[in-house]
Amino acid sequence: MRNEALSANPLGYEKITRLIVRFAAPAILSNLLNALYNVFDQIFTGHGIGYDGVAAIGVTFPFFTITGAVSVMLGLGVAANFNLSLGAGKQAEAERITISGISAMLISGIAMAALFMLFLEPLLILFGATAEILELSMDYMSIIILGIPFQVLTVGLTSLVRADGSPNWSLLCMLSGAVVNIILDPLLMFTAGLGIRGVAWSTALGQLFSAGLAVMYLARGLKTIKLPRKFVIPSWDCLKKICALGAAPFSNQIAMTLVAIVLNSALRHYGEQSVYGSTVVLGAVGAISRINIIFIGFVIGIGQGCQPINGYNFGAKNYERVKDTLKTALKMNIVIACVFFALFQLLPHQIIGIFGDGPPEYFSFATRYLRVFMFMTFSNGLQPLAASYFSATGRAKMGIFISFTRQIIFLIPLLLIFPMFLGIDGILFAGPIADTVAAVLAVIFIYREFKKLKGLMASSAAALPK
């Protein structure tokens, strides 16, 4: 029965490299297009308002990571359970989990939008907004919040669409929204004279368009399962399974949120004491964080693309393909990380210049931040891939722990301690030290997993009839 299932599904027999490219490329592009919403917002704001506008959008980053955490948890949690259930031949379970996940996406998106709107000003202050940029941040976020339910649906449903074997439609959903955003940004900001509000409206309308296409796919029907055409209250049992397998990416996003809050607070405090000033350092780091999200979009996209392959084959006990998938993905992530490392080290001034002009101290700090804080970029593809792998193969606790290593366990304590002795430089040196330790741990876990897969392969071969 298992061999028949493997021969019936391309995940069980198609060439690994081709499968990773097929599923990871749309996932990467989806992540990049989602990140480009913020990148283009900051580019147009930087050129239209200046680095004050870049800083104003930069401190809103935790809103996006919190929304992204819930979206990715539900989307990838549904997708991972979907593939594991189908790989094990449990179609009814795949249907129950999927409909519960879709309902949870809708409910959570509306709930987050309501809470953010209710506590907008105190949250912005908590996230690092200074008196100089608070009004701009509120103008921007009060409109962005309206698009949050559509953002959750887009991110969540496109993961399901990829798992259903339609990565190109998933890509279309994200691409269309990004195109709408890019077209509307200059029209609403400059032509209509809406300023930073125009940038926010462009993002919200782009997310609405993307969500509409994702819902259209569901209305036509999934390829592999049938869903009821009505709202269904999420099953608690299904939600536990979804959250368990979506916990690693959720934890990673929440870790990013906590780091952003601590980092912005440290930048505001120690930046004010430095020669740069708080607005300069907040603007520089706000712009660079968006560039770093592009890099993270690549390495996480590889993990997302491998998720259906690993989930299906691990569920079907085809451990050799699981090992080959992990090995191939590691090589891809290392190459991508080295490319970004070279860009950050060789072209820092040109990169920050994309976001508009500023005083000499703005470019001076941004250049130092890219070269020092981001120095270990070449190793930063290991930890996200390891976390995604353990989540896809049903070991959520291990995935969560790996997600927490770099940001929660190492980076946040270093951001709190180092600046007490080194000032603003302590923030810069905290990054590469946390990255180094996290990379070493990721290598250890991956090495142990290769040994475990080798043992499982041997056991599986011994159990086959002679």
Side-chain angles (χ1 to χ4, degrees), residues 49 213 285 287 295 355 383 394 418 435 463:
I49 298 176
L213 287 179
V285 175
F295 162 63
F355 297 92
Q383 182 236 9
F418 275 21
D435 290 341

Side-chain angles (χ1 to χ4, degrees), residues 33 37 154 157-158 161 167-178 206-207 209-215 217:
L33 291 171
Y37 279 102
T154 299
L157 293 181
T158 50
V161 170
N168 291 333
W169 188 272
S170 174
L171 171 60
L172 175 64
C173 293
M174 298 299 301
L175 179 61
S176 61
Q207 290 165 343
F209 196 86
S210 293
L213 287 179
V215 171
Y217 182 91

Side-chain angles (χ1 to χ4, degrees), residues 179-203:
V179 170
V180 168
N181 181 40
I182 293 169
I183 293 172
L184 291 180
D185 262 336
L187 292 177
L188 296 182
M189 183 175 189
F190 300 114
T191 306
L194 295 178
I196 201 168
R197 286 179 173 270
V199 172
W201 275 117
S202 301
T203 297

Side-chain angles (χ1 to χ4, degrees), residues 372-374 376 406 411 414-415 426-436:
V372 178
F373 191 89
M374 310 293 291
M376 290 300 295
R406 187 254 178 185
L411 183 55
L414 292 176
L415 286 173
I427 297 175
L428 300 182
F429 290 115
I433 295 174
D435 290 341
T436 300

